[in-house]
Amino acid sequence: MNDSPKPADEALVERYRQRDSEALAELMGRYLPLVHKIALQYQEVLDFDDLVQEGCIGLLDAVRSFHLDKHTSFSPYAVVCVRNRMRKAVEKSRTGKARLLTDSLPLDSAPVRPDPLTPEQICIDRETLAAVMEAVDTVLSPYERQILLASLSGQDYRTIAASLNTSPKSVDNALQRVRRKLKSIHRP
């Protein structure tokens, strides 16, 4: 057994920014139980798997936007980002404006999560997440990744198109390719 101390969350964020995908996988694995816990609070409104997915997107946003110089630790920041992402999804579903990622990428085959998570399930989730993240990095072109991330952050087609100096139709076409490619990723 490895007795070396775990790196701090902030150190993992910094490693991720230096393109260390293992750091992101470790962070996601650490916070997945928290995402599940927060999702349970809203499962009366939205599907649990949809909420978990939104929470993971919120966590990814937290990793990308966290600033160490703000004199706060990553953990409370991540909680706020995850909770806000889920609340936003719940609000959109209540107002009829919901267009979650799972609308186009259904999680029909996703297993029902046991409560509480077992160590085995946590390991499986980490492996699954690492595989998906690796597949996203290898399957999508840089242009498609850029458009996917902009879309996941809530930007509409026109905003994305303007920021990339392209047409909304080009953005739509790229997102259609992204959906096809992501659906083809084998989930263990």
Side-chain angles (χ1 to χ4, degrees):
M1 177 172 231
N2 188 354
D3 290 333
S4 63
K6 292 182 187 176
D9 294 344
E10 295 79 9
L12 290 171
V13 169
E14 199 54 43
R15 281 180 35 204
Y16 169 72
R17 290 186 179 149
Q18 296 169 2
R19 304 207 179 271
D20 182 350
S21 60
E22 288 181 23
L24 178 62
E26 186 170 341
L27 268 173
M28 297 296 269
R30 284 183 187 183
Y31 283 87
L32 199 54
L34 171 78
V35 170
H36 286 162
K37 183 177 178 181
I38 295 171
L40 287 171
Q41 298 170 5
Y42 298 105
Q43 72 179 354
E44 298 297 321
V45 181
L46 282 177
D47 179 69
F48 181 78
D49 288 330
D50 290 344
L51 288 163
V52 169
Q53 186 168 11
E54 289 295 317
C56 287
I57 293 167
L59 182 56
L60 185 57
D61 290 342
V63 170
R64 291 191 172 133
S65 63
F66 179 73
H67 295 288
L68 190 57
D69 60 334
K70 298 290 184 186
H71 305 292
T72 186
S73 63
F74 177 75
S75 182
Y77 181 73
V79 169
V80 169
C81 289
V82 168
R83 185 168 279 127
N84 285 347
R85 181 73 188 207
M86 286 188 201
R87 284 180 181 161
K88 184 178 177 183
V90 166
E91 186 59 34
K92 282 183 178 181
S93 74
R94 287 181 176 156
T95 61
K97 297 178 185 174
R99 176 125 174 99
L100 303 174
L101 179 61
T102 55
D103 289 344
S104 35
L105 297 173
L107 295 175
D108 298 352
S109 62
V112 175
R113 299 287 179 218
D115 187 26
L117 288 174
T118 63
E120 177 185 27
Q121 188 60 49
I122 291 170
C123 288
I124 291 169
D125 287 349
R126 284 181 184 168
E127 290 173 6
T128 302
L129 179 61
V132 169
M133 293 301 291
E134 182 179 326
V136 165
D137 286 342
T138 57
V139 171
L140 301 182
S141 71
Y143 178 73
E144 290 167 340
R145 277 194 305 271
Q146 195 173 12
I147 288 178
L148 174 63
L149 293 175
S151 177
L152 291 176
S153 71
Q155 295 180 28
D156 61 32
Y157 286 16
R158 288 187 187 135
T159 305
I160 297 169
S163 70
L164 297 175
N165 198 25
T166 190
S167 70
K169 182 61 180 165
S170 177
V171 171
D172 181 55
N173 289 342
L175 283 173
Q176 294 302 321
R177 288 191 307 274
V178 166
R179 288 181 185 113
R180 274 194 311 275
K181 289 178 179 182
L182 292 181
K183 281 182 182 180
S184 72
I185 295 173
H186 172 68
R187 287 183 233 162

